[in-house]
Amino acid sequence: MNPEYKDILLTHSDDIIRKWMDDLEDSKLRDYKSTISDEMIEQVNREFVNLIFSILKDGHSQKSIEQFSERIVNLGWPLGYLTEGMQSFRTICIKSLMEHLDEHDKDGFLQIMEDINHWVDPIKNELVDAYSSNWTSIISLQKVALQELSAPLIPVLDGVTIMPLVGTIDTDRAKLIMENLLDGVIKHRADVVLIDITGVPVVDTMVAHHIIQAAEAVRLIGATCILVGIRPEIAQTIVNLGIDLSKFPTKSSLKRGFEKALEITDRQIVSNGEEKKVIDDIIQSIDKE
């Protein structure tokens, strides 16, 4: 940037900051003011403008840009806050230079605008890139977390685990179910796994095929898979489709499936003792589902 322009901007930075913060008050954040305090908005706005002026004064700082963009993403503020903020800052700086240089001709205006653009545009582009990168990372982490929740494997007793499934099962989710089943059986040393499809709205040929594959894979590593939660309409669909589920046990409810798991693992409910209480509590909680 032209040294003269730089000196003017730094000398009058307080005035520029004041005008910019007033202008930013009516930016994209106006829709967020019901959930964001005025103190927070002012604090972040000041961090924003200090970042811009620090780059003018001390040179480029990639780390500072990334940190500020990450802060905006974590706050849940829109990308428009950055783009509108930079556009507003550009306009105010151009006006400030025009006033203090007393430039009114076309060439002077174009030179000022070119110098400001060379300063502001790279900052804006890097802020947008860093914002997008941080946002993508958060979405990826959330997707992983949702995937893990979509196929949880829950140990309920030594050797007995339950995988409750809710919602539609597609190819990607079926793959995750398979991976979680196999990893969980080994991790929890499970002898029996109950796959509960009570919350699966539709069981078609593809869904049944994936479930059979998962059950067969569990059998190959030495455990038994019990399919529970087969509603009458799903049973009728399975019969009409000619799907063979004879290779592993099926039960109508999770409670009945759990009782079968006790039988397979050579357990029984005795008349007294702590183990009976534990098992009774589990069965009662299952019966409430």
Side-chain angles (χ1 to χ4, degrees):
M1 175 180 285
N2 184 314
E4 183 182 6
Y5 296 172
K6 180 177 178 179
D7 288 342
I8 292 173
L9 291 174
L10 290 175
T11 299
H12 300 279
S13 60
D14 289 343
D15 183 56
I16 293 173
I17 289 172
R18 180 184 57 77
K19 292 179 180 178
W20 181 79
M21 292 187 71
D22 288 344
D23 191 55
L24 208 60
E25 280 286 315
D26 298 321
S27 71
K28 287 284 184 182
L29 288 182
R30 60 181 175 270
D31 297 328
Y32 287 73
K33 286 189 176 180
S34 60
T35 58
I36 303 175
S37 66
D38 292 337
E39 292 77 11
M40 174 62 76
I41 292 176
E42 183 175 353
Q43 177 186 343
V44 177
N45 285 350
R46 193 161 293 280
E47 289 177 21
F48 193 179
V49 74
N50 287 341
L51 170 66
I52 301 171
F53 269 112
S54 68
I55 293 174
L56 175 64
K57 183 178 179 181
D58 303 321
H60 179 268
S61 176
Q62 181 67 32
K63 183 177 180 180
S64 297
I65 289 175
E66 291 176 353
Q67 288 177 340
F68 183 72
S69 293
E70 182 178 3
R71 177 161 166 72
I72 297 304
V73 171
N74 289 335
L75 287 171
W77 292 8
L79 179 60
Y81 168 74
L82 296 176
T83 55
E84 278 194 15
M86 293 304 298
Q87 183 58 43
S88 170
F89 187 81
R90 182 205 317 270
T91 301
I92 291 170
C93 285
I94 290 173
K95 289 180 178 178
S96 180
L97 286 176
M98 293 286 289
E99 291 172 1
H100 292 96
L101 289 169
D102 196 26
E103 292 281 6
H104 299 289
D105 59 55
K106 179 180 177 181
D107 291 339
F109 172 74
L110 291 175
Q111 183 60 50
I112 289 173
M113 194 166 72
E114 183 178 356
D115 271 37
I116 294 295
N117 288 343
H118 284 166
W119 170 37
V120 170
D121 284 347
I123 301 174
K124 183 186 76 173
N125 292 338
E126 291 187 39
L127 281 169
V128 170
D129 288 345
Y131 181 98
S132 300
S133 178
N134 281 301
W135 184 257
T136 301
S137 296
I138 288 178
I139 294 299
S140 298
L141 291 173
Q142 290 176 340
K143 183 177 180 181
V144 170
L146 287 173
Q147 285 177 337
E148 291 176 351
L149 290 172
S150 72
L153 194 65
I154 306 166
V156 291
L157 282 178
D158 287 344
V160 180
T161 60
I162 298 175
M163 176 175 279
L165 300 177
V166 178
T168 304
I169 298 176
D170 56 17
T171 302
D172 290 337
R173 190 178 179 198
K175 180 180 177 183
L176 185 67
I177 290 170
M178 177 82 78
E179 292 173 355
N180 285 5
L181 268 176
L182 298 179
D183 291 344
V185 166
I186 294 172
K187 177 182 178 182
H188 300 297
R189 298 181 180 179
D191 297 312
V192 181
V193 178
L194 296 104
I195 300 180
D196 183 9
I197 62 169
T198 304
V200 178
V202 178
V203 176
D204 55 17
T205 304
M206 185 199 73
V207 172
H209 176 69
H210 287 313
I211 291 174
I212 291 171
Q213 279 190 323
E216 185 65 17
V218 168
R219 185 184 68 81
L220 290 174
I221 60 175
T224 300
C225 187
I226 302 176
L227 182 63
V228 302
I230 299 180
R231 305 185 299 278
E233 62 272 21
I234 290 180
Q236 185 175 0
T237 300
I238 290 173
V239 170
N240 291 337
L241 292 173
I243 298 167
D244 182 14
L245 299 179
S246 62
K247 290 185 179 180
F248 56 96
T250 60
K251 295 294 177 181
S252 60
S253 68
L254 184 55
K255 178 184 176 182
R256 293 184 181 275
F258 185 74
E259 291 171 347
K260 180 65 176 178
L262 293 179
E263 179 185 329
I264 292 173
T265 55
D266 294 324
R267 286 184 174 95
Q268 59 180 341
I269 301 176
V270 294
S271 59
N272 52 45
E274 186 64 27
E275 185 173 283
K276 176 184 182 300
K277 182 179 184 303
V278 171
I279 293 175
D280 282 345
D281 289 344
I282 293 174
I283 290 179
Q284 288 175 12
S285 66
I286 289 173
D287 201 26
K288 292 177 183 177
E289 295 295 328

